[in-house]
Amino acid sequence: MEHKNAWLTYDEAALTALENVSARYKAFLDAGKTERECVKETIRLAEMKGYKNLQDKIDNAEEIKAGDKLYHQVMGKAIMLFIIGKAPMEKGINILGAHIDSPRMDVKQNPLSEEAGFAYFDTHYYGGIKKYQWVAMPLALHGVVCKRDGSMIDVNIGEKDEDPVFCVSDILPHLGADQMGKKLSEAITGEMLDVIIAGKPVKDEDKESVKDGVLKILKDQYGIDEEDFLSAEIEVVPAGKCRDMGFDRSMLIGYGHDDRVCAYAQLEALFDIDETPEKTVACILADKEEIGSVGATGMQATYFENALAEMMALHGEEGDLKLRRALTKSKMLSCDVSAGFDPNFAGAFEKKNSAFLGNGVCFNKFTGSRGKSGSNDANAEFLAQVFGVMDKGGVSFQTAELGKVDQGGGGTIAYICALYGMEVVDSGVAVLSMHAPWEVISKADLYEAYKGYKAFVLGV
Ligand code: MN
Ligand code: MN
């Protein structure tokens, strides 16, 4: 089958719409460099669009009716949006699900050290990173410090022009003989990912210390004591904004396209729905996908079915059996990024089953590895239905596998939601340099994802 490039299908109006979606996505990505920041930004955008907090409805036992727009956040790290449809939820709902956590380096609980005139934050990386990619580049700190008095300090240092940034060092090539002889996976190790945070000693009585200087700055400027790191979540991420890439500005280079590009395409789809849909529409933005969807904010937790149960009760559809029917009869796009074909690494791909940047939203019947192990293998009947909806909506789409057979693989949240018995297929945006500090996507694929997700929730 021939691959059709989405760019060639656009008229002036479509190009303008595409650029507008891209500009809003760039702003979302710059505002959301952690899962917590993504949840905050999602709530801000949703409230502007008239979404109300489901928790208030639950607390006040307030009735929910068709056309209501609701959001429900989980521990500040995951969030769901809903548009209540005309049909009972028991008949099934249409779901979009993505994740908002991205690979990074997390600051350890006991992070501070000093060596040879430098003060360091020790880190433990999060998700699948190639460690050698995270050195010798400007880094920013994002997160929260929770104090024992119940207060919380937001940390966001390194994004404004006047902010300082941070860095993990690398050895100069002149002295790199030992390192250059190693395998890439061993050239920079996990414990070498120590972030330089200061380099100026202060004198205190008879002792000189860079660490003491940092502690004084942390106390004076941020109100943070060394003890407070025990109850902090600080993520080290690449400093800087998402930028247009290429002379033709057709691409975006940014941190965390995996999977915030799909998360944002879902939000664009929901925010673009004005009419009351036939079926209830849900948008899930989950945490912890990059480490196995674990924990209370990962997709394996029960927050989605709990939220659905609460809504159904407030919608006059209370009861376990009705909830089970709703889940089983639901249809879902698990919206996560796919590996974009890279001519530099053509050997890792099987070309006719690869995702190409610019060829539209990508469907993966399965992910997994070594004989589809660990994948949700979507049903052919459902695929045909979804592709029909895409055709009807004028959506450019492609299908792909995650690289050559036995080359590697990966997973998404699809298999977890499929456990309810609902139809689920993976669908997302092709990414170059996935999990690198700076990942690349095509604006066309973001635009087609938004179109495809909207067509799905209204048309499936
Ligand atoms: Mn992902
Ligand atoms: Mn990933």
Side-chain angles (χ1 to χ4, degrees):
M1 275 190 308
E2 68 169 319
H3 295 289
K4 271 186 269 168
N5 194 292
W7 285 103
L8 303 173
T9 68
Y10 298 141
D11 57 16
E12 278 304 314
L15 286 171
T16 303
L18 174 153
E19 284 299 337
N20 289 339
V21 172
S22 297
R24 290 193 290 269
Y25 171 55
K26 282 196 277 186
F28 179 81
L29 210 52
D30 293 341
K33 283 196 159 183
T34 66
E35 53 282 4
R36 284 181 191 265
E37 289 175 353
C38 286
V39 167
K40 267 193 181 171
E41 183 64 6
T42 298
I43 291 174
R44 191 183 72 80
L45 296 172
E47 285 183 340
M48 283 197 321
K49 291 282 178 184
Y51 282 72
K52 301 275 188 276
N53 194 341
L54 171 61
Q55 195 59 50
D56 293 338
K57 304 257 181 199
I58 296 168
D59 293 345
N60 302 324
E62 213 177 299
E63 194 190 337
I64 283 174
K65 52 189 189 314
D68 280 357
K69 295 180 172 180
L70 303 163
Y71 70 84
H72 194 57
Q73 63 93 19
V74 188
M75 296 174 177
K77 294 176 170 185
I79 188 165
M80 295 158 283
L81 274 63
F82 302 95
I83 307 174
I84 307 304
K86 294 175 196 156
M89 287 180 239
E90 187 185 349
K91 301 282 181 204
I93 69 175
N94 293 340
I95 307 166
L96 302 169
H99 67 92
I100 48 175
D101 60 316
S102 294
R104 63 194 186 237
M105 298 178 284
D106 284 341
V107 172
K108 287 188 182 180
Q109 294 335 111
N110 194 2
L112 275 162
S113 67
E114 175 168 352
E115 182 67 37
F118 298 110
Y120 290 95
F121 270 164
D122 206 344
T123 68
H124 193 141
Y125 67 95
Y126 172 99
I129 65 167
K130 290 159 94 175
K131 297 166 198 104
Y132 71 88
Q133 294 179 329
W134 293 72
V135 299
M137 64 182 302
L139 299 167
L141 304 177
H142 291 241
V144 295
V145 176
C146 295
K147 309 271 281 184
R148 289 173 203 185
D149 63 7
S151 63
M152 188 157 97
I153 300 164
D154 280 311
V155 176
N156 185 328
I157 310 164
E159 302 296 351
K160 294 198 245 6
D161 282 347
E162 65 271 26
D163 277 356
V165 292
F166 310 89
C167 177
V168 179
S169 62
D170 198 359
I171 187 76
L172 61 166
H174 320 62
L175 299 180
D178 286 353
Q179 185 199 44
M180 298 294 265
K182 290 180 179 173
K183 294 202 298 185
L184 265 181
S185 59
E186 291 158 6
I188 299 288
T189 63
E191 282 299 348
M192 285 167 78
L193 295 177
D194 295 338
V195 181
I196 299 174
I197 55 166
K200 182 170 74 179
V202 293
K203 217 173 167 105
D204 189 13
E205 287 159 21
D206 55 345
K207 170 169 138 261
E208 287 176 7
S209 167
V210 181
K211 187 181 148 180
D212 285 352
V214 173
L215 284 171
K216 189 171 168 6
I217 293 167
L218 288 172
K219 181 75 187 163
D220 293 349
Q221 294 186 18
Y222 305 100
I224 299 168
D225 295 306
E226 188 168 10
E227 282 272 299
D228 293 334
F229 286 106
L230 294 174
S231 52
E233 285 177 351
I234 300 175
E235 306 181 9
V236 186
V237 299
K241 293 177 184 233
C242 177
R243 313 269 300 260
D244 282 355
M245 193 176 118
F247 283 117
D248 56 8
R249 295 177 177 269
S250 61
M251 293 165 281
L252 292 170
I253 184 164
Y255 165 67
H257 286 316
D258 178 6
D259 182 33
R260 292 165 188 152
V261 64
C262 297
Y264 188 72
Q266 292 184 181
L267 292 179
E268 276 281 335
L270 261 75
F271 293 161
D272 200 27
I273 296 171
D274 296 319
E275 72 274 35
T276 300
E278 195 53 38
K279 283 189 183 171
T280 293
V281 168
C283 162
I284 305 170
L285 304 183
D287 181 28
K288 299 279 186 280
E289 191 277 342
E290 296 293 359
I291 58 168
S293 298
V294 291
T297 54
M299 199 65 234
Q300 292 191 53
T302 52
Y303 52 84
F304 175 68
E305 66 176 86
N306 290 349
L308 190 56
E310 295 278 9
M311 286 196 308
M312 290 180 74
L314 296 173
H315 195 243
E317 299 185 74
E318 192 160 0
D320 183 59
L321 185 59
K322 286 185 174 168
L323 173 67
R324 286 173 193 233
R325 284 177 184 156
L327 286 163
T328 307
K329 287 185 182 154
S330 289
K331 290 176 180 173
M332 177 176 185
L333 291 184
S334 162
C335 304
D336 206 344
V337 295
S338 199
F341 182 84
D342 186 341
N344 239 350
F345 300 95
F349 296 86
E350 189 264 286
K351 213 169 173 184
K352 66 184 182 306
N353 287 290
S354 294
F356 290 80
L357 264 69
N359 280 9
V361 62
C362 173
F363 289 89
N364 296 74
K365 183 177 187 295
F366 52 87
T367 56
S369 56
R370 290 164 284 100
K372 302 190 177 183
S373 180
S375 84
N376 160 64
D377 200 356
N379 291 316
E381 295 89 334
F382 182 52
L383 283 175
Q385 187 193 8
V386 171
F387 295 156
V389 170
M390 295 300 126
D391 286 341
K392 217 170 132 194
V395 178
S396 293
F397 71 93
Q398 54 185 328
T399 63
E401 287 192 28
L402 208 58
K404 256 185 188 167
V405 176
D406 285 340
Q407 181 68 30
T412 66
I413 62 170
Y415 74 97
I416 302 163
C417 301
L419 295 174
Y420 291 118
M422 64 178 71
E423 297 275 18
V424 187
V425 63
D426 278 300
S427 158
V429 168
V431 174
L432 277 195
S433 315
M434 196 195 294
H435 283 206
W438 299 100
E439 303 173 314
V440 176
I441 61 156
S442 170
K443 290 178 181 175
D445 299 332
L446 162 64
Y447 184 59
E448 295 303 320
Y450 139 70
K451 279 168 57 186
Y453 296 167
K454 186 181 171 191
F456 176 83
V457 291
L458 295 182
V460 78

